[in-house]
Amino acid sequence: MSDLLERLRGRGWRMTAQRRVVAEVLDGEHVHLTADEVHARAAAKLPEISRATVYNTLGELVSLGEVVEVSTDKRAKRYDPNAHRPHHHLICARCGSIRDVHPTGNPLADLPASERFGFTVSGVEMTYRGLCPDCAALV
Amino acid sequence: MSDLLERLRGRGWRMTAQRRVVAEVLDGEHVHLTADEVHARAAAKLPEISRATVYNTLGELVSLGEVVEVSTDKRAKRYDPNAHRPHHHLICARCGSIRDVHPTGNPLADLPASERFGFTVSGVEMTYRGLCPDCAALV
DNA sequence: AACTTGACTTGGACTAAGTCCAATGTAGGA
DNA sequence: TCCTACATTGGACTTAGTCCAAGTCAAGTT
C-alpha cells in the first residue's frame, strides 16, 4: 500500500494526513466505493476530514491515473483503485455490485477506421450487465 | 416516426399529448439528449409539460426497450432513441459528444465462464473514448 | 353523446451527489 | 524557525432526479 503513497510523493504530491487516509482507503480493499463510502471510511481514521477534501482527492487521483471512475446506472460514481491493471466491469442490474473482469480479445482492434469518425480513440470500457447469483435467486 | 407511436399504442400505452411530444422529440433526431434537453424541446411544442412527466415518460420508454440510457462522464444521463439496432458508443472526452458505432466481433463471447462469477450475463456496452476532430484540433 | 374510471399529469417540495469559495491551516523548502 | 504556496474546511449552492397528493383526461361502456 505504500507503493501508492510513494508514487504520489514522487509526483510532487504534498503529503497530508487527509490524502494519506483517502489513499489508504482506496488501496486497502479492491472494492468499488462511492465518494460517500470513501468519506465514511476515511472519517473512521481521521474524523475531521471533510467531504470536499475527499472529492478533491478523488479527482486528483483520477487525473493522475491512479484510480478510475466507474459510472453504473445508479446515481453515484464509484472509484476503482485497480487502475494499473487493465480490466473491465460486470455489474448487477439489480443491486449494483461490481466485479472486475478480463475478457479475451482486443476491443480497440474491433473498431474499424470507418467507424471512428475522425476521432483519436484512446481507450475503451466494456460494461457487462446481468444479475449476480444472489439477485438471480430472488427473481 | 409514427412507427414508434404505433408500437407504443400496440403495447397498451394510453396516448396523451405529453407522451406524443416526448416520443416525437426522441424520434425526430438521432442525437443523444439529456432529460432536460428533451424537456426543453418538448416544451417548445407543448409549453405546459412538466419535468416530472418527461422523466416518467423517459423511464417508461427505457423499460419498454424503446430507448437506451447512456451514462457518460458528465453528470446527466443521455437518452438514445436508436435502441432497435444494437450499437455501441464513441464519446469525446473533452466536449462529451457521442457517436453511435458498430464494432466487429462479439463481446459477449469474449467473457469466459470463469470470468462470470455466477452472474447471468444479459448484455454488454462498449464505450470507446477519445477526442473528436474538433477537440483534437484545439489541443 | 354522456358517463365512468383508472391511468396520467402537475407543480412543488424533497433528496442525493457534487461543486464552489473565502477563511484558515500546514508541509516542506530556505 | 519562518514563509508561503498549496491544502483543507464547512457551509452554501447547484444540478439531476424522485416523490406525492390533487387534479385531469383517454378510451372503453352504455
Side-chain angles (χ1 to χ4, degrees):
Chain A
M1 82 178 172
S2 38
D3 280 6
L4 173 57
L5 294 178
E6 287 314 315
R7 277 202 302 282
L8 294 171
R9 215 187 298 265
R11 301 218 214 180
W13 240 38
R14 178 177 290 187
M15 190 52 59
T16 65
Q18 291 81 351
R19 288 176 166 183
R20 183 167 16 249
V21 299
V22 170
E24 283 173 4
V25 165
L26 287 171
D27 210 38
E29 325 175 60
H30 337 96
V31 293
H32 303 79
L33 301 171
T34 62
D36 260 11
E37 288 164 350
V38 172
H39 178 245
R41 282 166 158 74
K45 303 182 177 201
L46 186 67
E48 65 278 20
I49 192 171
S50 77
R51 292 187 339 110
T53 297
V54 171
Y55 277 105
N56 288 344
T57 306
L58 288 172
E60 288 155 11
L61 288 169
V62 168
S63 45
L64 288 172
E66 293 290 346
V67 163
V68 172
E69 276 181 7
V70 186
S71 302
T72 70
D73 284 344
K74 313 285 178 187
R75 301 236 300 231
K77 287 176 192 162
R78 296 183 166 271
Y79 292 87
D80 183 345
N82 191 20
H84 51 304
R85 287 191 191 290
H87 63 277
H88 297 278
H89 293 108
L90 170 56
I91 302 183
C92 177
R94 180 175 242 267
C95 71
S97 67
I98 307 182
R99 309 293 307 240
D100 287 358
V101 295
H102 302 83
T104 61
N106 177 3
L108 271 179
D110 285 345
L111 193 68
S114 63
E115 286 280 307
R116 295 189 179 208
F117 304 101
F119 277 56
T120 309
V121 178
S122 53
V124 59
E125 299 147 30
M126 300 175 73
T127 306
Y128 292 88
R129 298 197 184 269
L131 289 176
C132 71
D134 292 352
C135 288
L138 292 178
V139 183
Chain B
M1 82 175 173
S2 36
D3 279 6
L4 173 56
L5 294 178
E6 287 312 316
R7 279 202 300 284
L8 294 171
R9 216 188 297 266
R11 301 219 213 180
W13 243 37
R14 179 177 289 187
M15 191 50 60
T16 66
Q18 290 82 351
R19 288 176 165 183
R20 182 167 17 250
V21 298
V22 170
E24 284 174 3
V25 165
L26 287 170
D27 210 38
E29 323 176 62
H30 339 96
V31 294
H32 303 79
L33 302 171
T34 63
D36 259 12
E37 288 165 349
V38 172
H39 179 244
R41 283 169 158 72
K45 303 182 177 201
L46 186 68
E48 65 279 20
I49 192 171
S50 77
R51 291 186 341 106
T53 296
V54 171
Y55 277 105
N56 288 343
T57 306
L58 288 172
E60 287 154 12
L61 288 169
V62 169
S63 44
L64 288 172
E66 293 289 347
V67 162
V68 172
E69 277 181 8
V70 186
S71 301
T72 70
D73 284 344
K74 313 286 178 188
R75 299 238 300 230
K77 288 175 191 163
R78 296 183 168 271
Y79 292 87
D80 182 345
N82 191 19
H84 51 302
R85 288 192 191 287
H87 63 278
H88 297 277
H89 294 109
L90 170 56
I91 302 183
C92 177
R94 182 175 241 269
C95 71
S97 67
I98 306 182
R99 308 292 307 240
D100 288 358
V101 295
H102 302 83
T104 60
N106 177 2
L108 271 180
D110 285 346
L111 194 68
S114 64
E115 285 280 307
R116 294 189 180 209
F117 303 101
F119 277 57
T120 309
V121 178
S122 53
V124 59
E125 299 147 30
M126 301 175 72
T127 306
Y128 291 89
R129 298 197 183 268
L131 289 176
C132 71
D134 292 350
C135 288
L138 292 178
V139 182

